Structures are given as structure tokens and as C-alpha cells.
Amino acid sequence: TVITTNYIPLTVGSINTFALALALEDRYNSNRQKFNNNNKIMSLSRQSTRVSISQDSSVPVAFASALFAAGVTWALKPNRRTHASDTVVPKSLVGVPYAEELELAIEVALKAGENIVSHSDSKGTVDEKDSNDKQDNVEVDEQNERLVVEAIRYFYPDHKIIGDPTDTGGVVPNLTMAPTWIIDPVDGTTNFDSGLPLTCVSIGFCVEGRPVMGVVYAPMTNELYVGIRGHGSFRNGVRITGSKQQAKTLKDAVVNFEFGSSRSDVAQCVRNIMKNGVKSTRCLGSGVLDFCYVATGRLDVVFAGAAANEGWKPWDYCAAYVIVKESGGAMESLVDQNPGDDLNLYGSSFICATSQILLEETRRVALGD
């Protein structure tokens, strides 16, 4: 049975009931009067509960009980045109390995994205909170992290989770052979702080130390990127392919770079590229979206970490790595890359390009080799 809320298509079942509970809790507690007065969006009533669950659905007792106890009825008239938040798992990914993990990741990413939108939409308007802006941003980050972590722990209590290591004294846990989720509840933090739209939620999943599934949701542009190793990557349900990008050279490329704290090293790489010749350069401020834009051909190259110890963290790479590789793109360490090796998620540098040829040309020019 499929029940469509105003934002998220949900199949009542072991995973989707969690997202349904989250969606209904939010809408009932904060917007019940609005919904009761506007049947075009959604009608909620505490008079009765009408939930149709097929006999073969395995609904978690705790969440099913909570829904029935709430006495919630929901109507079926979404009034939004189809975008990322109306996207279900692509048909070609249904039933493949890690499809269930993908489904959960999509649902919590969409929900976390709503929190980002509520902040970004009010930036610079009369609706902006009269409070410490930095504190508000931290609260959204922490709220999203709790949302993602609690969902994973509920459905996969034996899985490990790696994220912002505030609970481990700043030490990033090692990636082991155990099933491990690597998450970034708000990527593009400075963009988010400033109200710029290039920010996203990133959720990756690793098995035996290798990324196998990735979900990236950019709520302000309403784009959902997903990928499963060996089964392709997709943007808003449409297959991504980088085949049209293979013939580009550096002189024809749009190159994106991101600064670390040691900016002179990256600046020297950029000077080398400019001297060689390049179509254009960018610095967009969201590493995860940089990678997704390479996967779709919006950018041709992105790199960072030319200086020692300037690399990003595993949550900056994990989800997008799957999306890039499944699109036909290439992603390696910028320096100290051994031929044939996968990207080191804990490495000190990276370079990502629409093709291996373009990656190698850009690396050579950027490093002045």
C-alpha cells in the first residue's frame, strides 16, 4: 500500500513507517490547524484513523501503535509538482543489494532537507529569527544529525555510524569491515550559514570498507542524487551518465576548487591551471555538491587538498563517491595516488573529473609536473 503525504511518497512497511511517523508528527504538531483549514494540501483529523496495511507488510509495532494512537487520518491530494521530494527509489534499483538502506537514506535525507529549507527561506527576511544566527545553524545541524542517526540505529542497530566526531573528542573513527554509515547532516556549512542555496544532506553506506550506496539531497534546488555500486546513479529518478563528457580537455573545462586553511597551495594550483588555459573556474562551497555536479557534467573537475593534511573528511566523500563512479566519472587522490587504487576516504587530497583522461591532465598541470 502506498500512502502519499504532501512531501514524501511512503510505502507502509518496515522502513517507510518510520518516515511516515516523522512526517505526520511534524505536520500534526506544528501545522494541524493549517492543514485542517486547507483540504487542498492535507486533511488531518483526530476523530478516527484509516490506515490500510497489506497483510504482508511488516510494520514495526512501536511506530504503528504510535500512528494509531494519534488518531490521524490523512488525505491523498499532494499539490506540488514532481521534484526530488516526490521521488521514490528508481525502478532499476528496487530489489538490488542495499536497496533497503537506500530507501531509508532517501527518506531521512528528505526530512532533514526540510529543516534546511526552513532556515534558508527566512534568511534576510522579516521571518528570520531575532536570535544568534550561528546558534540557529548549529541547532539545525544537530537536529538533522539526530534525525539521521536515530533512524539508522532503529532499523540497523548493529551498524556503525561515522559523522562529525563531537562525541569522540574530534577524532574520526576508523572505517572497519563492519557495515558503516557515513553522514553529513549539513554539507556546505558556510553557504548554509549565509543562506546560500548550495547546501545538502549527505548519507553514504560502506560495506567491507568500501562505499556501496550514496544519497545526496539538495533541498534548495530540490535535487535528489542517489547511487548504488554496480547499479548506476540517478538525479531525481533519471539515470546519470557522463558519456558525453569524455572528449573534454582542460582548456575546455569548468574547474572547481575549494580552499582549505593553507590557501597558498591551492592558489598555486589555480595559477598553474589558468596559465595552461581553462574555460572557467568556480568555488561553490559545498564539496558534496561539487562531486554531484561533476557526475552530471555541470562541472568538469573539482579538486582540493594540495597541501599536506588539507584533505576533507570521510563524510565529504563517501556518498558522492558512489554517485560519481556510477556516472562514469573518476575520483582519486590529488597527490600520492597509486595506480588502480580507490580513493582513500581518509586521504589528504582529492581530484574528481568527468573522465580519467581529464583527471590526469588536470592533476599534471595543477601540480606543475
Side-chain angles (χ1 to χ4, degrees), residues 254-272:
V254 178
V255 176
N256 189 88
F257 56 89
E258 301 292 350
F259 285 114
S261 57
S262 180
R263 300 187 175 184
S264 61
D265 295 271
V266 173
Q268 183 58 54
C269 289
V270 175
R271 281 193 289 268
N272 292 341

Side-chain angles (χ1 to χ4, degrees), residues 120-165:
S120 297
D121 275 352
S122 66
K123 185 71 176 180
T125 72
V126 294
D127 292 332
E128 187 172 4
K129 293 181 180 179
D130 293 326
S131 60
N132 185 290
D133 191 53
K134 182 67 175 178
Q135 183 61 36
D136 291 340
N137 299 339
V138 171
E139 288 176 359
V140 172
D141 196 304
E142 291 176 346
Q143 183 181 8
N144 279 0
E145 183 173 19
R146 286 195 301 272
L147 169 69
V148 177
V149 169
E150 289 174 6
I152 294 170
R153 286 178 175 167
Y154 181 85
F155 291 105
Y156 300 102
D158 297 330
H159 289 188
K160 297 183 179 299
I161 302 173
I162 295 176
D164 189 356

Side-chain angles (χ1 to χ4, degrees), residues 34-336:
K34 173 182 176 181
F35 289 139
N36 284 338
N37 294 335
N38 188 354
N39 291 327
K40 291 182 179 179
I41 299 178
M42 185 183 299
S43 175
L44 298 179
S45 169
R46 295 187 61 82
Q47 301 302 315
S48 64
T49 300
R50 297 176 183 175
V51 184
S52 176
I53 303 175
S54 61
Q55 293 182 353
D56 60 350
S57 296
S58 60
V59 180
V61 174
F63 284 104
S65 299
L67 292 173
F68 279 86
V72 176
T73 298
W74 54 95
L76 305 176
K77 288 188 177 181
N79 68 338
R80 304 174 70 245
R81 59 195 178 115
T82 300
H83 278 313
S85 51
D86 301 309
T87 302
V88 294
V89 176
K91 289 182 179 179
S92 61
L93 297 184
V94 174
V96 306
Y98 316 118
E100 288 191 356
E101 289 86 350
L102 175 72
E103 192 173 359
L104 175 61
I106 289 173
E107 289 165 0
V108 292
L110 292 174
K111 181 62 181 175
E114 292 183 30
N115 297 330
I116 292 175
V117 169
S118 63
H119 166 84
S120 297
D121 275 352
S122 66
K123 185 71 176 180
T125 72
V126 294
D127 292 332
E128 187 172 4
K129 293 181 180 179
D130 293 326
S131 60
N132 185 290
D133 191 53
K134 182 67 175 178
Q135 183 61 36
D136 291 340
N137 299 339
V138 171
E139 288 176 359
V140 172
D141 196 304
E142 291 176 346
Q143 183 181 8
N144 279 0
E145 183 173 19
R146 286 195 301 272
L147 169 69
V148 177
V149 169
E150 289 174 6
I152 294 170
R153 286 178 175 167
Y154 181 85
F155 291 105
Y156 300 102
D158 297 330
H159 289 188
K160 297 183 179 299
I161 302 173
I162 295 176
D164 189 356
T166 53
D167 296 332
T168 58
V171 178
V172 181
N174 290 326
L175 180 61
T176 68
M177 300 297 282
T180 302
W181 299 76
I182 301 182
I183 66 171
D184 192 347
V186 179
D187 181 72
T189 307
T190 300
N191 286 350
F192 175 64
D193 290 348
S194 303
L196 292 170
L198 297 184
T199 185
C200 65
V201 181
S202 178
I203 303 174
F205 183 59
C206 295
V207 174
E208 296 182 349
R210 303 180 72 185
V212 296
M213 182 277 291
V215 168
V216 175
Y217 178 46
M220 298 306 296
T221 57
N222 219 339
E223 293 178 306
L224 178 68
Y225 298 88
V226 305
I228 292 181
R229 189 183 185 102
H231 296 279
S233 55
F234 300 77
R235 181 178 68 87
N236 288 358
V238 180
R239 184 73 178 258
I240 299 171
T241 173
S243 60
K244 296 180 181 180
Q245 310 297 325
Q246 297 298 316
K248 280 198 175 182
T249 64
L250 180 55
K251 289 184 178 182
D252 301 319
V254 178
V255 176
N256 189 88
F257 56 89
E258 301 292 350
F259 285 114
S261 57
S262 180
R263 300 187 175 184
S264 61
D265 295 271
V266 173
Q268 183 58 54
C269 289
V270 175
R271 281 193 289 268
N272 292 341
I273 289 172
M274 296 292 286
K275 184 178 179 180
N276 172 85
V278 64
K279 182 177 181 179
S280 187
T281 59
R282 295 289 185 270
C283 184
L284 299 183
S286 171
V288 174
L289 287 181
D290 291 347
F291 297 136
C292 291
Y293 293 164
V294 170
T296 54
R298 292 172 173 175
L299 296 173
D300 299 303
V301 183
V302 58
F303 71 90
N309 301 317
E310 279 291 297
W312 296 350
K313 303 302 182 184
W315 48 87
D316 296 313
Y317 302 121
C318 183
Y321 178 78
V322 179
I323 294 166
V324 169
K325 295 293 286 186
E326 288 301 312
S327 74
M331 195 168 171
E332 298 178 350
S333 296
L334 177 62
V335 296
D336 300 327

